[in-house]
Amino acid sequence: MIGVLTMNKERDNILIESTLKGNINSFEELMTLYQGKLFNFLLKMTSSREDAEEITQEVFIKVYNNLYKYNNRWSFSTWIYRIAINTLRSEYRKAKNVKSVDYYTNVSELPANFSDYPELAYEMKERQKEIIKLIDELKEDQKTALLLRYMQDFSFKEIGDILGISPEAAKMKIQRAKQSICKKYEELEKDGG
C-alpha cells in the first residue's frame, strides 16, 4: 500500500511540475485521475448531481489557478479534497434556499435476483433511503469525515490533513457519526416497527 501511495505521489508531482511548465495535457491527466472520485464524493455531500458538477468544475478551476501554491510535501489528493470541502462550504453559505432532497436518487439499484421478491426489494430500498437520509442529516464535519473514510478510503491522517485536525480527532468524528446513525436508526426502527 505504501508503495502505491509513493508511486501516486510521484506521478502527481510529475504531472504538477509539467503543468506548471505549461503542459496543459498534464493538467488534463490530473483531472482525469481525480474527477470521478471527487464528483462522487461531492454528489454524496450535496445529494444533487447539478451541484456536484458545478462544485467539481469550480474545484478544478481553483486547483489550476493555485497549483503554484501546492507544496509537494503533502499528498495532492489531500490538497484537492481540502479545496473541494472549502469550495463546498463557501457555495453552501451562498445558497440561501434549502433544497428538498429526493433520497431515492442516491439509492442504488438492487440486484436482479431481488425482482422475484418485490416486498423484500422494497424494504431494502426503504432502509437504504433511511440510512442515506441519516448520513445526510449528520453534522457537516462528521458527514465529511465519514464519507472521506468509507467512500474515498482515506486514512485518519489524510482526513485530518484535509479537515485541518489531528488524526485522532478525525477518528473521533467518524466514531461519533457512526454512533449517531446507529442511534437514530434504532429510534426509527422502534417507532416504525
Side-chain angles (χ1 to χ4, degrees), residues 175-187:
Q175 186 63 32
R176 287 188 179 141
K178 291 189 310 189
Q179 288 171 343
S180 176
I181 291 168
C182 289
K183 182 180 176 196
K184 289 179 181 179
Y185 189 77
E186 286 172 5
E187 289 169 6

Side-chain angles (χ1 to χ4, degrees), residues 17 26 28 46 67 86 106 147 154 167:
E17 286 300 317
S26 293
E28 288 174 3
T46 63
L67 199 55
N86 289 337
N106 288 327
L147 292 177
F154 279 111

Side-chain angles (χ1 to χ4, degrees), residues 26-146:
S26 293
F27 187 72
E28 288 174 3
E29 191 173 337
L30 265 178
M31 282 182 58
T32 301
L33 291 168
Y34 287 95
Q35 193 168 17
K37 284 183 178 181
L38 198 59
F39 172 77
N40 286 331
F41 169 72
L42 290 167
L43 180 60
K44 297 293 185 205
M45 289 296 294
T46 63
S47 297
S48 165
R49 184 169 211 78
E50 183 179 309
D51 289 350
E53 288 171 354
E54 284 180 31
I55 294 169
T56 301
Q57 286 179 341
E58 183 68 26
V59 167
F60 280 107
I61 291 168
K62 288 180 179 181
V63 167
Y64 185 78
N65 289 335
N66 293 289
L67 199 55
Y68 69 95
K69 295 179 184 177
Y70 168 70
N71 183 335
N72 64 10
R73 288 183 310 147
W74 297 89
S75 162
F76 181 73
S77 62
T78 301
W79 189 70
I80 195 170
Y81 274 87
R82 190 170 199 154
I83 291 171
I85 290 166
N86 289 337
T87 303
L88 174 68
R89 287 178 179 159
S90 67
E91 289 298 315
Y92 270 51
R93 270 187 232 119
K94 291 179 198 172
K96 301 267 190 226
N97 58 338
V98 177
K99 298 177 181 180
S100 64
V101 177
D102 176 11
Y103 291 101
Y104 269 115
T105 60
N106 288 327
V107 176
S108 57
E109 288 302 312
L110 295 171
N113 57 348
F114 279 97
S115 62
D116 295 337
Y117 306 97
E119 300 86 13
L120 184 59
Y122 175 78
E123 187 177 325
M124 287 183 72
K125 278 190 93 112
E126 283 298 308
R127 284 189 179 169
Q128 277 186 312
K129 183 180 91 167
E130 288 170 0
I131 292 169
I132 291 168
K133 187 173 188 256
L134 291 174
I135 291 170
D136 198 47
E137 291 171 353
L138 288 169
K139 292 178 185 174
E140 181 190 335
D141 60 337
Q142 291 178 350
K143 178 181 175 182
T144 302
L146 187 77

